Amino acid sequence: MRFAPTEDEVMVEDTLDRLLTEMIDAAPRRDGEPPAPEPGALRARLGQLGLWGGWLPECAGGGGGGARMLLILARGLGRRPVGSGYLGACVLPGALLARAAAGQGAGRAPAADLCARIAAGEATAAAAIFEPRRRWAPDPILVARPDGDGVILTGEKVHVAEPSGAEAFLVSAAEAGGASVFLVPADAPGLTVRTYPAFDGAEMARLSFDAVRLPAAAARLHGPGEGAGAIEEALRIARFAMAAETLGACEAALAQTIDYQRERKQFGRPLASFQALQFRAADLHSEIELLRSVVLGAAETLAGPPTAHARADIAAAAAMAAETGDLVAREAIHLHGAIGMTRELGVGRHLMRINALTRWLGDADHLRETFLRIEEEEAAA
Amino acid sequence: MNAPMKTPDFTAAREAAFRAEIAEFVADSLPDRMRRDHELGRSLSRADHVCWQRKLVARGWGAPHWPEEWGGAGWSMRQLFVFEEAMSALGAPASPAFNTRMIGPILLAHGDEAQKRRFLPRALNFDDWWCQGYSEPGAGSDLASLQTRAVRDGDHYVVNGSKIWTSAGQHANWMFCLVRTDREARAQNGISFLLIDLTSPGVSFRPIRHFFGAHVFNQFFFDDVRVPVENRVGDENAGWSIAKALLEHERLYSSRHTEARRKLGRLRRLAGEVELDGAPAARDPRFRQVLARRAMEVRSLEYATMRALERLVETGEIGAYASVLKLKGIEINQRLDEAVFDLLGPDALPADAAWETPAAADFPHPDARNAAEARYWFRGPAIAGGSQEVQRGIIAKRILNM
């Protein structure tokens, strides 16, 4: 087990940070908005450098970098909340596709092809696994009914991230033998995509499947009996990335706050010299150190087999990220004073992004419950 | 503020009749759309506020806490409290504080007769829309370090400088403002209280957007703005004590108990609708603990506010107790915002604007609208009117003598 980054990892971190700085500096200035690069261009650049899909296995067109690579990317992008779409357009769909690409099913070839293009930053897909009024329940109600050699999908999906430009949706559905995951072309007849903005400015979508017919052979990424495990694994990987992104956001928000407090003077001295504010910063720093530790620990276990211990580590990292992230981002805003509330300064974007992640992938309560269930399962085994 | 007349016999029977009277008025006068927007914490337009205020004025309820000769209702503190609480429970918006809660009481206490006659009726009727010019880019929590200067030139002051975080300033045509009139004096002693016509030559402003996108604040710039001396309230260099009294006033209302009561209503409605593990949240043991805590806090905040009103009637001032009200009122409101946001889970994801899209057709809970933005908006009150840390400092120094 090693927590500290290797020389290679430091190099990747620096490359990512330089690229983001360069692209943010080159982005067009709009009054009252922090500058951000165009997401498609950012994705393409990161793809060309082998960073975007660097975490994906080589058999799925990735760089084989695994959890540590995922950590570096998600954390680095979290430090600069520019709306990269990394989790929605790469991590969650990539996890579902990579598992299919490594399997023996009929969906292996199309999954490997799409996954390789996602890894290269050339294409995106979007996972559709959540349903109305079911919070974060992973078992689908949307039904896949057999129809000759194909299936017909009927039902609803909500909170689909990164819908625009996705060439396909990865859709969980209930079949007679259990949950499956299907590859559905974005232009499939009978599929209605209605997009809406989330509060952090990201685009989300609702999908309605009105008897969408699929030739099952190529479209079934994960068959009944495998789908539930594949969804669970993809959510686990996405939640790990959420914890890493949140960690990056916390690090950046606290650093920005302390920089500002060194500059800003009230009552004739820098805010940073007030003991009451120093104590709060020290508390936040210590909270972030705990989060950093659990995220680094989870990265280590995510690289190994998915034992109960490993799965519980990831649930713990995500739950602590949900809580610590909200705290740190709120405090960062407050400790700036009024300027912290402005869009222009940008520290508020960390709070919105952290909150949007937990609304999408699971909030602290849900993740704590997940953690306990895994621990109890481990104790019973 | 002048203490309103005491009415000793506001009995339970009279209170019930009064509440019925309020309910009837709101049912007749308040458009559904406005009620709904207010319930969801969405900000109302200038036109909506003016329309509602004029209906209240027509009923004699435009500023019931003012003296009767200026349009007040002559009610006891208890009746005033019931009025506010009932209006809020019925989903009625409060009129923006700057006119009736701030400049009104200031002029009543410190204005001369001409100022009262000129400004009070227009403030009551929202013919003028006032905003507050206190904070500056370099003077926030340390308000006394403000630098906007007013130099006497005959029967005018010439004002130069900048004011920032001016809430709703884009709607305003008048600003009450703190300016430095003596640069030699100790910080607090060289400040005067001026009323500035924002249509004067040399006044400009830029919008400042909140991080969730709304145009909430502004920065105003004053470039050789000429303000008649008659627009000064109180003596020259005596503005600080006026401002301080107003800040205490602001803090009394920043207990925000009516907002808390409204948010609790939303939380209860959602508790009956949102399902946790297949049953309404209202039956979930863990959520019940959350709901109980929030409901008890709202009760305690209401009683705490009533104590402040009682004290105001009996002693004519609230003192540092206002800081306790602000500190806890903000926290209680923030916890309610958070409880709503948490209960909604993924259904809190859509932005307020998403509710105008076709996707909204089957969003599950209408009460989910604006939940995230309302929570984000409320980061502000913890900083404005003296940050939570400033309140803690006042409590330690003036109440605990530390």
Side-chain angles (χ1 to χ4, degrees):
Chain A
M1 194 168 209
R2 182 182 162 81
F3 293 102
T6 64
E7 274 181 36
D8 284 355
E9 287 172 338
V10 171
M11 228 165 65
V12 174
E13 272 181 41
D14 290 349
T15 305
L16 174 64
D17 193 59
R18 269 201 312 275
L19 177 72
L20 285 168
T21 304
E22 181 192 307
M23 291 189 77
I24 289 169
D25 287 349
R29 306 278 131 173
R30 279 183 299 150
D31 206 25
E33 289 280 350
E38 197 273 310
L42 176 61
R43 187 176 69 232
R45 283 289 297 278
L46 291 171
Q48 285 155 11
L49 292 168
L51 297 178
W52 187 252
W55 66 281
L56 283 160
E58 285 167 7
C59 71
R68 293 283 288 218
M69 190 68 176
L70 185 54
L71 168 62
I72 293 170
L73 263 283
R75 182 185 186 177
L77 289 164
R79 287 175 181 154
R80 308 292 192 85
V82 292
S84 67
Y86 186 56
L87 265 66
C90 179
V91 178
L92 189 58
L96 285 167
L97 290 165
R99 184 166 162 135
Q104 299 302 322
R108 193 172 77 87
D113 168 64
L114 178 53
C115 199
R117 287 183 296 115
I118 288 176
E122 296 163 8
T124 67
I129 49 182
F130 301 116
E131 300 191 6
R133 294 182 181 272
R134 312 245 9 249
R135 292 177 92 86
W136 300 284
D139 48 319
I141 303 284
L142 181 144
V143 68
R145 188 161 46 79
D147 178 63
D149 62 344
V151 293
I152 290 180
L153 303 185
T154 305
E156 293 276 330
K157 294 289 176 184
V158 290
H159 309 320
V160 177
E162 303 300 324
S164 289
E167 68 173 57
F169 295 104
L170 315 177
V171 182
S172 60
E175 288 197 280
S180 297
V181 178
F182 292 94
L183 184 68
V184 181
D187 58 358
L191 170 62
T192 308
V193 180
R194 287 170 298 169
T195 61
Y196 66 86
F199 56 73
D200 69 333
E203 191 181 53
M204 309 289 286
R206 304 181 56 100
L207 308 186
S208 304
F209 294 80
D210 182 11
V212 174
R213 188 172 191 288
L214 302 171
R220 190 184 275 109
L221 294 178
H222 302 287
E226 297 153 34
I231 294 163
E232 199 196 304
E233 183 188 64
L235 275 175
R236 203 156 57 233
I237 292 171
R239 283 170 181 160
F240 170 75
M242 157 176 136
E245 184 176 335
T246 302
L247 171 62
C250 288
E251 290 167 340
L254 182 59
Q256 187 177 358
T257 303
I258 292 170
D259 282 350
Y260 180 76
Q261 294 200 329
R262 288 199 184 101
E263 294 292 311
R264 171 77 172 174
K265 284 187 178 163
Q266 289 282 272
F267 306 102
R269 57 195 180 107
L271 288 181
S273 69
F274 288 87
Q275 194 179 40
L277 301 182
Q278 290 172 351
F279 283 0
R280 282 167 81 162
D283 278 343
L284 295 176
H285 171 78
S286 307
E287 292 290 345
I288 295 171
E289 281 292 8
L290 285 186
L291 176 61
R292 190 176 288 132
S293 304
V294 75
V295 170
L296 287 167
E300 186 74 21
T301 53
L302 183 61
T307 59
H309 191 80
R311 288 181 288 127
D313 269 353
I314 292 158
M320 290 180 69
E323 191 155 345
T324 302
D326 189 71
L327 171 74
V328 172
R330 277 188 284 120
E331 285 282 87
I333 292 165
H334 187 78
L335 293 174
H336 270 86
I339 199 158
M341 285 186 296
T342 64
R343 195 165 181 92
E344 201 165 355
L345 183 80
V347 77
R349 282 200 300 179
H350 289 300
L351 181 62
M352 293 194 291
R353 178 60 185 159
I354 288 166
N355 289 163
L357 282 172
T358 60
R359 298 307 98 183
W360 176 41
L361 292 172
D363 69 2
D365 280 0
H366 178 80
L367 296 163
R368 281 190 288 256
E369 182 63 32
T370 304
F371 169 82
L372 263 191
R373 282 193 190 157
I374 299 169
E375 275 213 326
E376 284 158 6
E377 180 191 311
E378 188 181 20
Chain B
M1 187 172 82
N2 296 358
M5 191 178 74
K6 285 191 216 181
T7 322
D9 53 348
F10 191 61
T11 59
R14 280 202 51 205
E15 181 177 325
F18 183 53
R19 283 179 183 275
E21 198 184 338
I22 295 168
E24 192 187 351
F25 171 77
V26 171
D28 291 346
S29 314
L30 182 65
D32 274 346
R33 178 190 57 76
M34 241 156 97
R35 181 184 55 76
R36 190 69 193 136
D37 280 347
H38 180 63
E39 273 177 358
L40 298 173
R42 303 183 74 223
S43 59
L44 301 185
S45 68
R46 186 188 203 279
D48 278 348
H49 274 303
V50 170
C51 157
W52 179 236
Q53 176 67 12
R54 289 185 183 164
K55 287 181 181 179
L56 288 169
V57 170
R59 187 69 177 71
W61 293 350
H65 54 292
W66 287 13
E68 279 175 278
E69 62 166 317
W70 295 107
W75 294 336
S76 68
M77 277 297 171
R78 171 69 197 162
Q79 190 167 359
L80 280 171
F81 184 86
V82 168
F83 177 73
E84 277 172 19
E85 189 241 0
M87 291 290 268
S88 170
L90 293 163
S95 69
F98 299 112
N99 283 32
T100 59
R101 300 278 184 211
M102 299 170 102
I103 192 60
I106 282 290
L107 290 175
L108 286 165
H110 305 280
D112 60 34
E113 276 309 298
Q115 288 169 341
K116 288 182 198 177
R117 276 198 305 276
R118 179 174 172 202
F119 292 116
L120 286 176
R122 292 179 58 82
L124 176 67
N125 203 41
F126 275 64
D127 298 322
D128 295 325
W129 185 298
W130 287 84
C131 65
Q132 183 189 55
Y134 282 15
S135 295
E136 297 182 5
S141 287
D142 183 10
L143 184 59
S145 69
L146 60 91
Q147 294 300 324
T148 292
R149 62 187 191 281
V151 178
R152 191 74 178 256
D153 177 28
D155 54 1
H156 281 76
Y157 288 103
V158 178
V159 178
N160 280 284
S162 177
K163 293 291 178 180
I164 198 166
W165 316 123
T166 318
S167 301
Q170 70 270 31
H171 299 322
N173 59 328
W174 279 87
M175 176 187 278
F176 54 91
C177 198
L178 291 179
V179 294
R180 187 157 298 286
T181 34
D182 183 350
R183 303 182 81 174
E184 307 303 315
R186 200 179 133 257
Q188 283 91 336
N189 295 344
I191 291 171
S192 299
F193 196 100
L194 279 193
L195 310 178
I196 300 182
D197 179 348
L198 296 176
T199 63
S200 311
V203 179
S204 60
F205 77 97
R206 71 171 180 110
I208 301 176
R209 286 206 292 155
H210 200 289
F211 64 76
F212 67 84
H215 177 186
V216 175
F217 312 107
N218 301 276
Q219 182 173 7
F220 276 81
F221 303 93
F222 301 96
D223 182 13
D224 285 336
V225 175
R226 294 183 70 79
V227 178
V229 170
E230 71 207 42
N231 287 7
R232 191 190 67 228
V233 178
D235 292 335
E236 188 167 272
N237 299 329
W240 185 253
S241 58
I242 296 175
K244 230 174 75 172
L246 182 53
L247 279 173
E248 270 183 14
H249 231 270
E250 195 182 340
R251 277 171 208 149
L252 169 62
Y253 291 99
S254 55
S255 87
R256 293 174 180 268
H257 64 95
T258 58
E259 275 175 83
R261 178 57 71 182
R262 164 167 65 73
K263 291 170 185 177
L264 184 63
R266 183 192 213 180
L267 184 61
R268 280 189 200 281
R269 287 195 300 276
L270 283 168
E273 276 183 30
V274 175
E275 295 204 337
L276 299 175
D277 298 323
R283 297 213 297 270
D284 178 85
R286 209 189 49 82
F287 177 76
R288 291 175 66 77
Q289 292 291 316
V290 173
L291 184 60
R293 279 176 196 270
R294 300 294 83 89
M296 291 176 194
E297 285 170 352
V298 172
R299 282 191 186 218
S300 67
L301 187 62
E302 286 170 345
Y303 284 129
T305 310
M306 285 165 70
R307 283 177 61 211
L309 289 167
E310 183 181 278
R311 188 156 159 175
L312 187 63
V313 172
E314 286 173 6
T315 69
E317 58 151 26
I318 311 154
Y321 179 67
S323 291
V324 178
L325 281 184
K326 185 189 175 203
L327 189 69
K328 301 315 287 183
I330 297 286
E331 286 178 5
I332 289 169
N333 268 279
Q334 287 182 338
R335 284 187 210 123
L336 282 159
D337 290 336
E338 196 167 305
V340 167
F341 188 66
D342 284 347
L343 177 58
L344 282 164
D347 293 323
L349 254 181
D352 185 49
W355 289 79
E356 314 292 344
T357 67
D362 26 19
F363 285 163
H365 308 292
D367 268 304
R369 181 165 190 175
N370 198 46
E373 288 89 347
R375 179 172 181 250
Y376 294 146
W377 182 85
F378 214 88
R379 308 316 306 168
I383 297 167
S387 70
Q388 299 293 76
E389 289 63 41
V390 170
Q391 309 308 329
R392 290 185 180 105
I394 293 170
I395 292 165
K397 195 169 151 195
R398 287 178 51 199
I399 300 180
L400 303 175
N401 297 315
M402 292 171 81

